Amino acid sequence: MYNCIMVPVDLAHKDKLAKAIEVAADLAQLYTAALHFVGVTATPPSEVAHNPEEFAQLLARFAADEGARLGLDISAETVISHDPAVDLDNDLDREIHELGADLVVMASHVPHFREYVFASNAGYLASHTEVSVLVVR
Amino acid sequence: MTDQIDTDYELGQDNVQILGLDIHNPVFLISGLSIVAFVLLTLMFQDGATEFFGWLRPFLTSTFDWFFLLSANIFVVFCIFLMVSPLGKVVLGGPDAEPEYSYIGWFAMLFAAGMGIGLMFFGVAEPMSHFSSSMGGTTVEDGVRTDWAPLGAAAGDAIAARDLGMAATIFHWALHPWAIYAVVALALALFAYNFHLPLTLRSAFYPLFGERVWGWTGHIIDTLAVFATLFGLATSLGFGTEQALAGLNHLFGTPTGDVARVVLITVITAAALISVLRGLEGGVKVLSEINIALAALLMLFVILVGPTAAIFETLVAGGIAYAKELIPLSNPFGREDANFAQGWTSFYWAWWISWSPFVGMFIARVSRGRSVREFVFCVIVIPTMVTVLWMASFGGTAIDQVIADPEAPVKAAALELKLFEMLKDLPVAWLTSFLGIVLVIVFFVTSSDSGSLVIDTITAGGKTDAPVAQRVFWCTFEGLVAAALLLVGGSQALNALQAMAVSTGFPFTIVLLLMCVSVLIGLMRTRRAGR
């Protein structure tokens, strides 16, 4: 059914990702699909990493650790964005096409105040990209 | 990764998350509340505020004129030193960092943020002013010069007055202001990209103050930067609205009352919000590129359709005069032309310096991957060349009109209308004037957007990926402050708070001098570590 599953990863909130990653791993095993973690970072220092190179290392390590835990081969893709606060959705959308992903599994939180004004990333992707998006709460 | 600077500080550790926002505690709250308090107090005690800030600003720029002039010279010399010394080889972001933006996109953003709007207003007005005062010669009362002419003036000699006027104008818009921006931008970029500290003003002081920058020392520096940026932007937006309305009225007879003011501020703020929501790439960068292209088009039109020969003569003679008079114009001590040195130069330096946290921070944000040499060259030398060309085209045309006809309308026109009067003498004036107004408005939109980005980054403790709702807040806040000042207090309140914003140039001059020391220490450490 699916060949390439992409999981957007927010390294600042790794604790909120467990369920989405498990779902993605189950689906990857079920369909023998490739599994990709995608992280987006800007060039200035962030709370996750001091620079994009360090971010890429952290993401690669996270993918390797999760892969070892789940018995899967997970690749890590770092996307460098000019302005992730705004461009995150578009950056993820572009990466979906670059990877040729046919399913996106992403964690989302329960909507609160801000989401009534600004769409959540998962909500935006689900309504704007043509591939299937599974939003895990 | 921070083997050069050993701090335990984690970016975002002082941030609080409320209502889906991610803000620095206490910089966000202190900045927001004190801005509201200042606006309210100014409006409640308007006469007192006008009197106080009306005294403070000239007091600072007259008493400490030598300090402003000397410091600005230090910044220029410092930048030139960096460009020619081996320290210039350091790449912002480390040896492997790649530039994020193409030259054109980068340069358009530098220029739009740095002085786009000012060039629109002063491109005609300032050369005219210096030309007229130079023509008027010197007047002395009780042994003190009372005229406003630069240096020794050029009484009655139109060509000499033109050249001196151009030299003085270029002086205020070329090497010195851009060196001021370059120092701040370089300090911020170096400590964020090479030393991995948060992208906020306080980080540039780590080599000097150590861990204290994460405490109140840093809070004060950051709050002051927010303060100067917001008031600088809001008062400029207020005045810009008045000027754009005057231009529209002049061209199309549109109204200029309170309703028109609110409509224009709302339009600019709404456009800025759209730009904010489109992000750095789709908003500021696109608008900056469009605006620079339009400005270039307007300049090309003036050069080709206007008095081409006179413009080139002004360009060459003005450029040579600038080179020749650069040292006397920047001399901080024993000036005979005190009115010019204090009322123009010292005021300009305070003004540029009060803008420098904003422009410097924005330049830093978009400059990763450039070497220090390339950075300084592009931030100082190229804008200088463009400024000379711009001033020669716009000022040269206006001066040419006045030399040909001493009663030319451009001479008597109000400051905000001089550009339009100059254009009126050329063909399709309605089109070029309309283009001029569009340029003014779009430059405001880009300033408002990039200003919100900068204030948000500072008040989010250096986080560049904080929720965009925060930028929306600052952008709206700026529009509201401008509208409140303009409607309740009129230009008196705007004047008072603009004087206050410019007054922050004084403490920031000290801050900038310290930054030079920090940059030097930082670059030497980076070179030693071979990064």
Side-chain angles (χ1 to χ4, degrees), chain A residues 42-47 50-54 57 80-87 112-114 118, chain B residues 1 11 19-20 100-101 192-193 196-197 276-281 365 368 463 466-469 471:
Chain A
T43 52
S46 69
E47 60 188 323
H50 295 107
N51 54 35
E53 295 76 31
E54 189 188 350
Q57 285 167 10
I80 298 172
S81 170
H82 290 304
D83 191 1
V86 174
D87 292 335
H112 56 86
F113 170 74
R114 203 160 59 85
F118 303 95
Chain B
M1 298 298 280
L11 191 147
L19 291 173
E100 261 188 279
Y101 295 94
Y193 299 131
H196 311 132
L197 299 179
V276 163
L277 291 172
R278 289 181 51 85
L280 195 48
E281 179 82 9
R365 178 80 159 85
R368 187 179 191 264
K463 262 193 191 184
V468 73
R471 276 183 233 169

Side-chain angles (χ1 to χ4, degrees), chain B residues 20-100:
Chain B
L21 304 180
D22 188 347
I23 52 182
H24 185 275
N25 176 34
V27 170
F28 184 95
L29 203 64
I30 298 179
S31 309
L33 288 181
S34 54
I35 287 163
V36 172
F38 255 85
V39 170
L40 290 179
L41 285 172
T42 305
L43 293 177
M44 278 180 343
F45 306 104
Q46 244 188 77
D47 292 339
T50 307
E51 203 178 317
F52 177 69
F53 293 120
W55 164 82
L56 179 68
R57 207 276 300 149
F59 167 76
L60 291 174
T61 48
S62 302
T63 315
F64 299 104
D65 57 337
W66 61 271
F67 179 61
F68 285 112
L69 267 71
L70 184 63
S71 305
N73 294 342
I74 291 173
F75 303 141
V76 173
V77 173
F78 180 65
C79 286
I80 293 173
F81 162 73
L82 291 183
M83 205 157 50
V84 298
S85 84
L87 296 176
K89 287 193 190 133
V90 171
V91 177
L92 298 170
D96 303 325
E98 295 284 328
E100 261 188 279

Side-chain angles (χ1 to χ4, degrees), chain B residues 127-128 131 158 161-162 165-166 314 394-404:
Chain B
M128 287 283 305
F131 167 74
R162 178 198 69 189
M166 289 309 299
T314 314
F394 287 72
T397 305
I399 293 174
D400 186 59
Q401 290 170 357
V402 177
I403 292 178

